[in-house]
């Protein structure tokens, strides 16, 4: 039984192979017959020109944008056609609104130059279309404190220079400012900014030639007790009275400036004290500074007899130039007067402390 089953399987496989072979031969014969029946295309000569049908150039500009908005009639026709079939195309087209927005890229020819009258009319029309300026109507009775705050700001910004005395109506404002928290806050802010700069510009060369210049009066030492007795800047500056005050050696340290002074020294700067005081006050000035905590400065420069007729700007510029000629680099300068900071041989960065009580040119 096993032999009969195996023999039948072999015969079946042979039959399948013969059938597949016959199918392959038939397919090959069909392909050959089709190739023989196809006409051969005539060869083309190189001299022959092939005519190419010229296609019309496509329009390069954007096509019009057509927006079809159905009208109410079209909406009614559409609703009616829901039960009766589709509405006729003509009815829908008639009931629709076509909006064509065409983008025209053609250049517009230049208009002829208008005459003078047309220019004037066009300018008038343009002016009428411009935004009107904002007009602020300030009341005539601006409070005195507001006016005095504006005066103090102008004085600090050096917009009043030169000025000789505090206006009488602003004495109370100045007194409130210099004896209150606002003045201390302003001083501390200047000291903080100075400290930040000093840390960033700390001497890196190690040659001991980077310097910081400090003024003394209203910069390191405060003479507020003297000005409290003399109208907070109301009267003209009296050199003789102030010299008598200096000889008392009772000026007080400005705490934020003392902190800055010590930090600058610790960072490695040379500290030069440059004041407009006369050199006859050298001893008492040095004692007053030490008494208030200022020590170990590198230079203490006061006005000599030959400097007394010079303005503060000229005098201090000359002294800074001498420092530079000695090889020092002035990286910082602190003072309450613009004459402490401006002029020639200026520092890389200057810091103005507030002082609305007096102005020194």
């Amino acid at each position: 039984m096993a032999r009969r089953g195996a023999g039948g399987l072999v015969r079946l496989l042979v039959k399948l192979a013969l059938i597949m072979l016959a199918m392959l031969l038939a397919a090959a014969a069909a392909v050959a017959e089709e190739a023989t029946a196809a006409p051969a295309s005539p060869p083309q000569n190189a001299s022959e020109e092939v005519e190419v049908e010229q296609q019309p150039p496509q329009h390069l500009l954007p096509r019009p944008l057509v927006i079809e908005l159905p009208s109410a009639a079209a909406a009614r026709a559409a609703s009616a056609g829901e039960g009766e079939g589709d509405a006729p195309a003509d009815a829908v087209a008639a009931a629709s609104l076509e909006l064509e927005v065409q983008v025209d890229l053609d250049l517009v020819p230049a208009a002829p130059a208008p005459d003078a009258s047309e220019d004037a009319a066009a300018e008038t029309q343009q002016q009428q279309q411009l935004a009107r300026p904002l007009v602020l109507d300030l009341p005539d009775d601006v409070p005195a404190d507001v006016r005095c705050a504006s005066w103090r700001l102008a004085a600090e910004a050096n917009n009043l220079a030169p000025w000789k005395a505090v206006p009488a109506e602003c004495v109370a404002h100045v007194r409130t400012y210099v004896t209150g928290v606002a003045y201390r806050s302003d001083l501390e802010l200047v000291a903080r900014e100075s400290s930040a700069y000093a840390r960033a510009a700390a001497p890196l060369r190690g040659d001991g030639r980077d310097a910081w210049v400090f003024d003394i009066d209203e910069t390191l030492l405060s003479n507020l007790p003297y000005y409290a007795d003399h109208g907070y800047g109301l009267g003209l500056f009296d050199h003789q009275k102030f010299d008598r005050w200096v000889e008392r050696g009772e000026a007080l340290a400005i705490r934020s400036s003392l902190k800055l002074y010590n930090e600058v020294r610790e960072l490695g700067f040379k500290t030069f004290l440059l004041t407009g005081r006369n050199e006859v006050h050298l001893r008492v000035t040095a004692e007053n500074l030490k008494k208030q905590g200022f020590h170990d400065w590198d230079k203490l420069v006061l006005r000599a007899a030959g400097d007394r007729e010079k303005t503060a700007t000229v005098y201090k510029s000359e002294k800074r130039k001498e420092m530079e000629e000695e090889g020092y680099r002035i990286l910082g300068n602190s003072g309450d007067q613009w004459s402490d900071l401006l002029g020639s041989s200026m520092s890389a960065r200057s810091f103005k402390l507030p002082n609305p009580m007096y102005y020194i040119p």
Side-chain angles (χ1 to χ4, degrees):
M1 293 295 292
R3 289 182 179 178
R4 291 180 182 178
L9 180 60
V10 171
R11 287 194 297 271
L12 179 60
L13 292 174
V14 171
K15 289 181 180 181
L16 290 175
L18 292 174
I19 293 172
M20 292 178 64
L21 179 61
M23 292 175 64
L24 291 174
L25 292 175
V31 171
E33 183 178 358
E34 183 179 355
T36 304
S41 58
Q44 294 182 354
N45 296 329
S47 60
E48 292 182 355
E49 295 182 357
V50 180
E51 295 183 358
V52 180
E53 182 179 0
Q54 298 293 333
Q55 298 293 336
Q58 295 182 355
H59 189 46
L60 299 179
L61 297 179
R63 295 183 179 180
L65 175 63
V66 179
I67 304 176
E68 296 184 357
L69 300 177
S71 63
R76 289 194 299 270
S79 61
E82 291 178 357
E84 301 177 2
D86 295 338
D90 294 340
V92 175
S96 64
L97 175 64
E98 293 186 359
L99 299 178
E100 295 188 359
V101 181
Q102 298 188 1
V103 181
D104 189 1
L105 299 182
D106 294 337
L107 295 177
V108 179
D115 55 16
S117 60
E118 292 179 352
D119 285 340
E123 183 177 359
T124 302
Q125 183 179 5
Q126 183 178 9
Q127 291 177 354
Q128 292 175 350
Q129 294 175 352
L130 294 177
R132 295 182 179 181
L134 178 62
V135 178
L136 298 178
D137 293 328
L138 297 177
D140 296 333
D141 55 343
V142 176
D145 192 59
V146 175
R147 291 196 302 272
C148 292
S150 299
W151 175 86
R152 179 168 59 85
L153 174 62
E156 295 294 353
N158 205 26
N159 291 333
L160 296 181
W163 56 277
K164 296 182 179 181
V166 175
E169 68 170 353
C170 296
V171 171
H173 173 84
V174 171
R175 179 182 66 245
T176 301
Y177 171 72
V178 297
T179 59
V181 67
Y183 180 51
R184 293 196 301 272
S185 177
D186 290 346
L187 290 172
E188 290 173 359
L189 177 59
V190 175
R192 286 198 302 271
E193 292 300 315
S194 304
S195 174
Y197 167 73
R199 292 194 301 271
L204 299 177
R205 301 185 186 182
D207 58 1
R209 292 296 176 179
D210 292 327
W212 196 293
V213 177
F214 287 95
D215 174 52
I216 293 181
D217 293 306
E218 273 58 64
T219 299
L220 297 182
L221 298 178
S222 172
N223 299 294
L224 192 56
Y226 168 82
Y227 286 100
D229 293 337
H230 294 83
Y232 294 97
L234 174 62
L236 297 179
F237 184 76
D238 190 320
H239 288 279
Q240 294 181 352
K241 291 181 179 180
F242 186 75
D243 286 347
R244 289 196 292 269
W245 158 258
V246 169
E247 282 299 316
R248 292 167 57 179
E250 297 178 358
L252 304 174
I254 297 176
R255 294 302 170 186
S256 54
S257 295
L258 176 59
K259 181 180 179 181
L260 173 65
Y261 173 87
N262 290 329
E263 183 175 6
V264 165
R265 285 201 54 79
E266 291 173 0
L267 289 172
F269 287 91
K270 296 294 184 180
T271 50
F272 298 154
L273 310 188
L274 178 56
T275 177
R277 293 183 176 189
N278 293 329
E279 62 181 359
V280 295
H281 303 302
L282 175 60
R283 182 188 58 81
V284 68
T285 298
E287 292 177 354
N288 195 169
L289 287 166
K290 293 177 182 179
K291 182 180 178 181
Q292 293 299 319
F294 298 94
H295 302 281
D296 302 324
W297 54 79
D298 295 285
K299 285 180 181 289
L300 176 56
V301 183
L302 291 83
R303 278 183 186 261
D307 299 322
R308 292 179 182 176
E309 300 302 323
K310 299 175 183 177
T311 64
T313 303
V314 172
Y315 156 67
K316 293 199 171 186
S317 294
E318 291 177 352
K319 295 305 177 182
R320 290 195 301 267
K321 183 175 179 58
E322 292 176 6
M323 298 172 190
E324 291 180 338
E325 290 175 347
E326 293 174 3
Y328 292 103
R329 296 177 293 272
I330 304 176
L331 300 185
N333 188 5
S334 299
D336 67 295
Q337 299 291 315
W338 286 105
S339 55
D340 297 332
L341 312 173
L342 300 180
S344 59
S345 298
M346 295 171 58
S347 62
R349 180 78 185 273
S350 299
F351 295 91
K352 169 72 169 63
L353 282 72
N355 181 4
M357 294 182 294
Y358 60 88
Y359 172 83
I360 299 177

